[in-house]
DNA sequence: TAAACGTGGGG
DNA sequence: TCCCCAAGTTT
């Protein structure tokens, strides 16, 4: 089977050919046909979990500059990592990133394990990321399945089972297509196709190298895949947040424990919003003459939306309550503040 | 298995 | 404005 004409090429070969000439150039990527550095693949893959390329890219450069390799990252202060991650969301990724770096240095001699099964054991590395690192950094013929590839497989094979039920079937199709060599390029090619051609809303089938292999393209209904289970309605929650300021300008903050929403991050004192019972109950951290700011701060999370009433109060030169601390106004920007808290502070400043 | 876990951009 | 959801993992 030498020199098979393009017309008779396999879908896999068509995708690899397309990648050679149409691939996106991304900072963590190796050129087609080459392997990328494990540290860069890992760092980018963690950042890209549920996160757009455009959003993750500046964070990737910042991390790489601060911590050029896994040993440097392992030595970093956890607070510095959380601060650098602030705004990216899903903060358990940052905590696991540090734990993973330390584990690699302590138990793997500072080198990433090459085998998928061993990668899978590391904190923050699940089935997708383990396969991606094994394929892109080590050349393994790993079966990489992310959201893009799920979308492409359900369209190519017109899979009617709704996600996540279709996942085993998707994986099986992807396994059949994955080449023995260049599996990393193949996966990245499919992700590029998913991002630029096989889009969620209006797929560009005529430009797709898989058009001839795609049942949904033939049927003209690609946009209806993947089928999805019914979405649950997002509950709404309420809470109160308190900005206490001393005469020297410093503001009262607290650092969250490692788990749960905003785990490991810096927050303004607040009433809590995690449970239905706790919502809306004002619970100031200090007995001050609190003033309520006009208008609420709203924020939408994946699993609930939130309205926050903002209170401001002038404090005398008093000690911070247990578990809290005063932070100078100029130092606030260097805290690991999630976007919600920055939003609250912005509203407060604009009310001053 | 299903829920928890952030955020910003696009239609 | 509102809804959807993006290179998932953990519990």
């Amino acid at each position: 089977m030498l020199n098979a004409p393009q017309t008779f090429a396999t879908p896999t070969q068509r995708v690899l050919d397309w990648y050679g000439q149409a691939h996106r150039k991304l900072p963590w990527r190796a050129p087609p046909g080459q392997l990328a550095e494990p540290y860069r693949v890992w760092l980018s893959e963690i950042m890209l979990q549920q996160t757009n390329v455009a959003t993750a890219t500046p964070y990737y450069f910042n991390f790489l500059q601060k911590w050029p390799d896994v040993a440097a990252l392992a030595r970093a202060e956890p607070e510095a990592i959380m601060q650098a991650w602030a705004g990216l969301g899903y903060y358990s990724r940052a905590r696991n990133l540090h734990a993973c770096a330390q584990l690699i240095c302590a138990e793997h001699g500072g080198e990433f394990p090459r085998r998928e099964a061993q990668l899978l054991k590391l904190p923050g590395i699940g089935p997708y990321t383990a396969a991606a690192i094994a394929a892109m950094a080590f050349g393994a013929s790993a079966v990489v399945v992310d959201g893009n590839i799920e979308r492409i497989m359900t369209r190519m094979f017109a899979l009617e089972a709704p996600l996540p039920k279709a996942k085993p079937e998707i994986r099986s199709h992807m396994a059949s297509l994955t080449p023995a060599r260049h599996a990393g390029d193949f996966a990245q090619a499919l992700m590029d196709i998913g991002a630029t051609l096989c889009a969620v809303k209006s797929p560009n089938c005529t430009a797709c190298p898989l058009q001839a292999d795609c049942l949904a393209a033939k049927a003209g209904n690609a946009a209806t895949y993947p089928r999805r289970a019914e979405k649950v309605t997002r509950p709404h929650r309420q809470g109160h947040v308190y900005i206490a300021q001393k005469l020297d300008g410093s503001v009262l903050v607290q650092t969250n424990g490692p788990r749960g929403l905003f785990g490991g991050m810096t927050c303004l004192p607040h009433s809590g919003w995690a449970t239905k019972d706790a919502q809306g109950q004002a619970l100031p951290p200090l007995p001050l003459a609190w003033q309520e700011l006009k208008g609420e701060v709203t924020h939408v999370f994946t699993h609930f939306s939130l309205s926050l009433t903002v209170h401001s109060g002038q404090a005398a030169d008093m000690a911070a309550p247990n578990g809290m601390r005063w932070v100078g106004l100029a130092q606030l920007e260097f805290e690991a503040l999630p976007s919600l808290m920055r939003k609250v502070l912005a509203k407060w400043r604009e009310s001053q």
Side-chain angles (χ1 to χ4, degrees):
Chain A
M1 196 65 85
L2 295 170
N3 298 323
Q6 176 73 21
T7 324
F8 301 121
T10 62
T12 298
Q13 192 56 51
R14 270 197 283 281
V15 167
L16 287 171
D17 290 345
W18 178 90
Y19 189 65
Q21 49 101 47
H23 63 92
R24 289 183 295 175
K25 290 190 174 67
L26 299 175
W28 45 85
R29 236 140 69 166
Q34 296 178 222
L35 298 178
E37 284 185 39
Y39 177 67
R40 297 180 180 216
V41 174
W42 168 66
L43 182 60
S44 63
E45 290 301 341
I46 301 295
M47 288 183 169
L48 287 164
Q49 289 168 6
Q50 301 291 286
T51 306
N52 297 315
V53 166
T55 303
T57 299
Y59 286 84
Y60 172 79
F61 281 124
N62 186 38
F63 266 70
L64 208 57
Q65 184 178 20
K66 280 191 163 79
W67 303 293
D69 52 51
V70 69
L73 190 63
R75 286 192 302 267
E77 295 297 329
E79 295 77 13
I81 293 178
M82 300 314 290
Q83 190 273 332
W85 198 275
L88 242 200
Y90 285 144
Y91 297 104
S92 67
R93 292 185 294 174
R95 301 191 299 275
N96 284 331
L97 194 77
H98 195 208
C100 183
Q102 293 189 320
L103 209 155
I104 286 171
C105 290
E107 298 184 14
H108 296 272
E111 301 287 336
F112 278 82
R114 302 176 62 90
R115 297 219 315 281
E116 193 178 348
Q118 285 196 285
L119 289 163
L120 196 49
K121 292 179 184 168
L122 298 170
I125 297 183
Y128 161 74
T129 306
I133 296 171
M136 299 173 194
F138 297 120
S141 178
V143 181
V144 180
V145 181
D146 79 324
N148 289 298
I149 291 169
E150 284 180 349
R151 191 167 59 253
I152 294 171
M153 293 299 123
T154 55
R155 289 173 177 179
M156 274 184 78
F157 301 101
L159 304 182
E160 300 298 332
L163 285 174
K165 262 212 166 102
K167 282 179 184 259
E169 215 177 345
I170 289 168
R171 163 162 286 277
S172 151
H173 283 296
M174 184 61 183
S176 302
L177 291 168
T178 299
R181 297 173 64 244
H182 308 299
D185 282 355
F186 181 65
Q188 292 178 93
L190 288 182
M191 291 189 274
D192 281 6
I193 289 169
T196 63
L197 300 176
C198 199
V200 176
K201 300 269 166 99
S202 48
N204 183 1
C205 296
T206 53
C208 181
L210 288 168
Q211 186 182 21
D213 311 290
C214 182
L215 290 177
K218 283 184 185 131
N221 62 355
T224 67
Y225 297 92
R227 315 290 199 222
R228 286 186 189 280
E230 289 222 12
K231 47 208 163 281
V232 295
T233 52
R234 201 195 321 268
H236 185 75
R237 294 179 184 170
Q238 302 185 19
H240 297 264
V241 60
Y242 300 91
I243 306 182
Q245 188 173 38
K246 293 200 296 185
L247 266 6
D248 66 3
S250 58
V251 164
L252 193 62
V253 302
Q254 59 190 6
T255 301
N256 294 333
R259 303 193 322 168
L261 192 64
F262 300 143
M265 301 295 284
T266 302
C267 284
L268 297 159
H270 56 81
S271 63
W273 48 72
T275 67
K276 281 180 184 147
D277 297 339
Q279 52 178 275
Q281 293 310 306
L283 209 74
L286 286 171
L288 305 179
W290 293 101
Q291 281 202 303
E292 188 176 316
L293 269 60
K294 198 157 48 165
E296 298 176 311
V297 170
T298 60
H299 199 70
V300 180
F301 298 97
T302 307
H303 53 303
F304 68 97
S305 59
L306 178 66
S307 295
L308 240 31
T309 305
V310 185
H311 305 260
S312 71
Q314 278 292 334
D317 189 15
M318 57 177 75
N322 232 335
M324 300 187 186
R325 58 200 160 85
W326 297 101
V327 173
L329 217 42
Q331 296 306 308
L332 215 44
E333 62 174 302
F334 301 112
E335 289 288 326
L337 290 166
S339 292
L340 172 59
M341 293 300 148
R342 292 179 191 272
K343 203 190 282 189
V344 169
L345 285 165
K347 181 178 186 60
W348 172 67
R349 286 196 195 94
E350 131 198 335
S351 78
Q352 297 278 292

